[in-house]
Amino acid sequence: MSDAFTREPPWNPRLFPPAYRTPRAVQTARNLLDPQGYGHSLRRRFGPVFSLRMFPYRSALVCATDAATNREVLTDHERFPGGDASAGLAAVVGAGSLICTPPPVHLRHRKLLLPPFHGRQVTRWTQGVRELVRAELPDLLADGPKPVRPWAQRLTLDVILRVVLGLTDPARTAEFRQALNAFVGMGNFPVLFLPRPLRRDFGPFSPGGRFHRRRAAARDLILEEIVARRAAPDRAERDDVLSMLLDARDEHGVGLSDEQVLDELMGLVLAGHETTAASIAWTLHLLAHHPTVRDDLIADLDAGSDRLLKAVIKESGRLRPAVYGSLRTAAYDTELGGHPVPGHAFVAALFPLTHHDPELWPRPDAFRPERHLGADDAVPYSLTPFGGGVRRCIGVSLAQLEVETVLRETLAAAVPEEAGPPESTRLMAVILVPTRGGRVRLRRRRPHRADR
């Protein structure tokens, strides 16, 4: 168990923002099954800052849900430092991952990880991502209604295997695909929300045992690839993230150890796989249920413009952000939104609730991409689907490339239509996913394709 959890203060309603009195198990279940609906009920009852009593926190998660408190949590690193707050994910990605590192180490590692995700480098990946999308597209276009998310999960994992890990051998790629599918699939992560005793390894058929074995298999494979890549004679000519990380050096000429590279890659796999797949599923599902927006987007893409495409992706990220929130801890006794927050308490900026604040977004429940077509006059920190501040998701540019490419290719070939009622959200680990996978029906159209 992480030090962050052992330092967490016990629950005391006088020292925390207000909370429901229902048992933690009930609050955990309600939040997992209906995170947006339950969050809205808490905000209506208590205001923009409240406590959510859920596992794995032994006291409560302090929640910030308006732009002002969202900004405080994301940018006031003296009061709300990162690193410790993500300790629960250390079991998944490793304590050395950028996701879990404390401020001094985080900044050093972030500088080492930034070069692979610069705009010019991402542009070099465009053709490879397009080829992967086109190879997978026939499965998505098969007749009948289908959930988009499983298809998108396969695609985004293949992008990671090629772009992040640089795998080209089909047999090796298949071996990685099997191990990573077993581990990073969201069905493996509910164990993190169980009480501490139930997270232990009680054998291969226990939730904790299954989790630890899948984790070990994935890490062993990636470590083998790191060792092999260090010795590869063509490493300097390769453009994958792994190869570039092995050559990265800080201002003192110091690079990352194999174990540090392993943790960083595990973090990139987790952050870039399920979150991007959820974004793709939500966007196609929303377009299917908003035919006017869909038809306008298709016409705009056919005309060679990407202006509406970018607005649609922004609005999808506002209405259904893939990431539930960003975690911090309180460095000392402080306050947030006029409520006390005890030192070492876990604090979260909950993006879905900020994105639905009617004071920030008129008609917040409506899917209106035109909000983002004019001058960017949004209130700062009112739209943070990828987080904010120095801990903003480092792979945003790759994720956006994937979503844009999927939409271009899919809408050039087919029109997404409803395949059932609009789906609500459920929470898997820290990711908001459609309850039925984002089901759509794709009606084929005459392709209008131009490689851009």
Side-chain angles (χ1 to χ4, degrees):
M1 179 58 61
S2 160
D3 287 346
F5 284 96
T6 60
R7 291 196 302 266
E8 185 185 3
W11 170 249
N12 184 333
R14 293 190 300 274
L15 301 180
F16 278 83
Y20 281 141
R21 295 184 178 181
T22 47
R24 274 199 301 167
V26 173
Q27 294 195 41
T28 302
R30 292 192 62 184
N31 198 57
L32 291 175
L33 296 175
D34 184 18
Q36 287 188 293
Y38 189 50
H40 285 310
S41 75
L42 283 157
R43 175 163 175 161
R44 284 192 299 269
R45 174 68 177 83
F46 299 117
V49 177
F50 52 80
S51 296
L52 176 56
R53 301 202 63 213
M54 62 178 288
F55 296 113
Y57 312 103
R58 68 174 181 174
S59 55
L61 177 65
V62 177
C63 302
T65 67
D66 65 358
T69 54
N70 187 10
R71 183 173 191 164
E72 286 185 65
V73 172
L74 293 177
T75 64
D76 192 338
H77 307 297
E78 179 182 343
R79 293 166 60 212
F80 303 114
D84 275 358
S86 301
L89 289 177
V92 179
V93 298
S97 167
L98 195 68
I99 296 172
C100 301
T101 49
V105 179
H106 178 89
L107 291 175
R108 173 180 176 265
H109 284 203
R110 189 176 184 87
K111 289 178 181 178
L112 291 172
L113 264 68
L114 275 174
F117 296 100
H118 281 166
R120 184 166 57 240
Q121 178 58 45
V122 172
T123 301
R124 294 175 63 185
W125 295 331
T126 301
Q127 183 58 33
V129 171
R130 185 184 292 126
E131 290 171 0
L132 289 171
V133 172
R134 290 180 179 177
E136 295 282 356
L137 198 56
D139 288 343
L140 183 64
L141 298 180
D143 290 339
K146 60 187 64 63
V148 175
R149 182 169 165 255
W151 175 86
Q153 287 172 300
R154 293 193 297 273
L155 170 69
T156 57
L157 183 57
D158 281 350
V159 170
I160 285 169
L161 294 177
R162 178 181 293 188
V163 170
V164 176
L165 297 178
L167 301 180
T168 55
D169 177 68
R172 186 70 167 162
T173 299
E175 187 179 10
F176 267 79
R177 187 182 293 115
Q178 180 178 3
L180 290 176
N181 264 327
F183 179 60
V184 301
M186 288 293 102
N188 196 36
F189 291 162
V191 65
L192 301 177
F193 292 88
L194 295 175
R196 189 193 311 181
L198 298 182
R199 296 198 296 269
R200 294 174 57 189
D201 183 353
F202 290 107
F205 298 107
S206 65
R210 187 165 55 247
F211 174 86
H212 288 294
R213 283 160 181 77
R214 290 175 176 177
R215 178 181 187 268
R219 289 179 69 87
D220 287 348
L221 266 181
I222 295 176
L223 188 56
E224 287 176 12
E225 193 66 26
I226 292 170
V227 173
R229 191 69 54 81
R230 280 202 189 273
D234 65 340
R235 193 179 77 217
E237 285 76 47
R238 300 174 67 113
D239 66 354
D240 56 87
V241 175
L242 168 55
S243 297
M244 286 186 276
L245 281 184
L246 293 177
D247 289 331
R249 297 291 183 272
D250 64 15
E251 62 273 21
H252 305 295
V254 178
L256 297 170
S257 68
D258 286 358
E259 192 69 22
Q260 288 171 328
V261 173
L262 171 61
D263 286 354
E264 298 296 5
L265 291 174
M266 290 294 289
L268 291 172
V269 169
L270 176 67
H273 173 44
E274 289 285 358
T275 54
T276 309
S279 296
I280 291 169
W282 278 124
T283 306
L284 283 173
H285 185 70
L286 288 166
L287 288 171
H289 285 271
H290 295 84
T292 300
V293 174
R294 175 201 66 202
D295 294 346
D296 287 347
L297 175 58
I298 290 174
D300 200 51
L301 287 171
D302 286 353
S305 169
D306 65 359
R307 183 168 175 263
L308 188 53
L309 173 66
K310 294 183 183 301
V312 163
I313 294 171
K314 265 192 173 182
E315 181 68 351
S316 175
R318 183 196 68 81
L319 199 63
R320 294 289 187 267
V323 179
Y324 178 56
S326 190
L327 281 173
R328 305 286 190 269
T329 51
Y332 45 78
D333 291 352
T334 184
E335 63 84 31
L336 185 65
H339 295 285
V341 178
H344 305 300
F346 287 91
V347 183
L350 296 191
F351 306 147
L353 302 187
T354 305
H355 293 181
H356 282 71
D357 186 340
E359 294 185 8
L360 300 170
W361 303 101
R363 295 179 58 199
D365 296 329
F367 184 59
R368 300 173 59 199
E370 63 269 20
R371 303 175 197 268
H372 311 287
L373 287 176
D376 188 6
D377 55 358
V379 174
Y381 290 85
S382 63
L383 183 62
T384 52
F386 298 102
V390 297
R391 301 189 82 92
R392 185 172 184 261
C393 177
I394 201 166
V396 170
S397 53
L398 176 59
Q400 289 176 329
L401 171 63
E402 292 179 69
V403 179
E404 288 184 12
T405 304
V406 167
L407 291 180
R408 288 181 191 277
E409 297 297 322
T410 303
L411 297 178
V415 178
E417 298 178 331
E418 295 181 18
E423 297 177 23
S424 58
T425 60
R426 63 187 173 113
L427 186 61
M428 301 195 74
V430 295
I431 300 171
L432 290 176
V433 300
T435 50
R436 299 183 65 201
R439 292 175 65 81
V440 301
R441 186 187 303 272
L442 288 158
R443 172 170 52 85
R444 288 180 180 269
R445 65 187 288 250
R446 179 173 298 174
H448 181 104
R449 168 172 287 156
D451 289 348
R452 302 176 179 89

